[in-house]
Amino acid sequence: MARLGGGRAVANQLLHTVTPIGAALDFLLLTAPGALRWRHAAQWPAAPALYFAFALVRGALLSPDAPTRYTYPFLDVTAHGYGGVLANAVALGAAFYALGLAIIGLDRIRPAPRPSEYRISSERARGLK
């Protein structure tokens, strides 16, 4: 796997570290509790599943010697075979589902954030903070 440098390293750090931390802080500090439903946990693995399908098709279309043929090591069909990659995808899907259940459980028990005097929208607007 190719090492990242420059702008790609920054983008990777933003995507895999800063964005999840920001989303968690937004959820905990700015979102009213009780909006999530248990059925939402089954919907969250859909985006990773779509990416999984895209990555496999992309990898099949690229040259076998392309350094970025598979963007993540656990998706590398050459190293793991389709069965191994499918097992990795199922494990990650189950982990996303479990994380979704944990987030919904947390949403049920967490206290409401203190109202801020610096809001863009009214308290009744659920979409904007």
Side-chain angles (χ1 to χ4, degrees):
M1 191 158 108
R3 296 225 2 114
L4 299 177
R8 289 182 184 210
V10 171
N12 185 56
Q13 191 69 20
L14 289 172
L15 176 65
H16 293 96
T17 305
V18 176
T19 300
I21 291 171
L25 289 174
D26 173 71
F27 169 70
L28 291 172
L29 302 176
L30 301 175
T31 305
L36 299 177
R37 302 288 172 251
W38 293 110
R39 69 178 184 276
H40 293 144
Q43 297 169 353
W44 289 332
L50 289 173
Y51 182 80
F52 169 73
F54 163 77
L56 288 184
V57 170
R58 178 183 179 271
L61 295 175
L62 288 177
S63 170
D65 59 340
T68 57
R69 184 175 178 199
Y70 297 103
T71 52
Y72 295 98
F74 58 86
L75 293 176
D76 191 343
V77 174
T78 307
H80 305 293
Y82 282 103
V85 171
L86 181 60
N88 290 338
V90 168
L92 283 171
F96 273 94
Y97 181 67
L99 181 62
L101 292 174
I103 289 171
I104 293 168
L106 178 63
D107 185 52
R108 304 277 174 162
I109 62 170
R110 69 186 175 104
R114 290 191 352 230
S116 172
E117 57 189 80
Y118 304 107
R119 290 184 60 89
I120 295 172
S121 59
S122 72
E123 290 283 336
R124 289 178 295 215
R126 294 189 64 89
L128 297 174
K129 281 29 173 212

